[in-house]
Amino acid sequence: MAYVDHAFSISDEDIMIESSYIVHNRPPIKEIALAISLLVFGTLGIIFGIYMAVNRVGGDTAHGIFFAALGSILFIPGFYYTRIAYYAYKGYKGFSFSNIPPV
């Protein structure tokens, strides 16, 4: 006879007692707005940083490289969460608005 651990088993009574729950899959407006703003400011930072580095705005190329690096730091999470929000909106399998962390 095999040992059965009843502490973690699910019986028919557990399934019947459990109440139904409603899943709200509404888009989180603040989080998506933050993601889009990070994406926009990151893109602008990269573009202006490259422009500043090429034309030596501020005296040397270091200012432009720093600005482009700051823009890339903003761009990466902005692109990632905007992509998740877009795919969740379009209904792609495996993507949900719950994957976006709350602010």
Side-chain angles (χ1 to χ4, degrees):
M1 194 162 165
Y3 172 74
V4 178
D5 188 9
H6 293 285
F8 296 106
S9 66
I10 297 175
S11 66
D12 291 336
E13 293 174 2
D14 294 334
I15 294 172
M16 297 168 106
I17 292 173
E18 224 175 276
S19 63
S20 63
Y21 60 93
I22 300 171
V23 176
H24 295 288
N25 200 15
R26 297 181 320 178
I29 303 299
K30 289 190 307 185
E31 289 81 359
I32 293 173
L34 176 64
I36 291 172
S37 65
L38 286 174
L39 178 67
V40 168
F41 287 127
T43 304
L44 290 175
I46 291 171
I47 291 170
F48 288 143
I50 291 172
Y51 175 77
M52 289 171 64
V54 169
N55 293 327
R56 295 182 187 207
V57 175
D60 58 356
T61 59
H63 290 89
I65 293 171
F66 175 74
F67 213 75
L70 182 63
S72 64
I73 289 172
L74 294 175
F75 177 81
I76 292 170
F79 175 76
Y80 179 73
Y81 290 119
T82 303
R83 182 181 62 92
I84 290 175
Y86 176 75
Y87 286 157
Y89 175 73
K90 287 293 187 178
Y92 284 95
K93 185 177 181 180
F95 291 95
S96 172
F97 290 121
S98 63
N99 293 342
I100 300 173
V103 174

